[in-house]
Amino acid sequence: NNKDSNLREEIIRELQRVRKSSEVSQSKLAELSGVEQSVIARLEQGTNPQIETVLKLLNVFDLTLKVVPIDGN
């Protein structure tokens, strides 16, 4: 589904933006999150992440996901 793909890409871009702006390497993020560096690299290259993985990575930066209504529905 195109909406799902766009959302996934947006989440990945935001994670990568926050990681880089915080000057945290993939290796350091792996250490802090418990997620293997190779998984982080694949995620940043666009692979389909598991929700648990995303949540672990977001937690390092004191972020979370929030479910909100889609505009117009």
Side-chain angles (χ1 to χ4, degrees):
N1 176 315
N2 198 29
K3 284 185 181 181
D4 292 344
S5 178
N6 290 341
L7 178 59
R8 184 171 34 257
E9 290 172 10
E10 183 180 340
I11 291 168
I12 291 168
R13 272 194 313 269
E14 183 62 12
L15 267 170
Q16 191 171 31
R17 185 195 67 77
V18 170
R19 180 182 68 75
K20 288 181 175 182
S21 69
S22 300
E23 298 183 357
V24 174
S25 67
Q26 288 181 352
S27 296
K28 183 66 175 177
L29 182 54
E31 179 184 322
L32 295 170
S33 66
V35 174
E36 291 183 24
Q37 186 274 329
S38 61
V39 172
I40 295 168
R42 286 194 304 271
L43 181 145
E44 290 187 359
Q45 292 169 2
T47 60
N48 199 1
Q50 297 289 319
I51 191 72
E52 295 84 4
T53 300
V54 170
L55 293 173
K56 285 179 181 179
L57 297 174
L58 288 171
N59 188 54
V60 170
F61 302 106
D62 294 322
L63 299 171
T64 190
L65 291 178
K66 182 176 181 180
V67 177
V68 297
I70 296 173
D71 293 338
N73 290 334

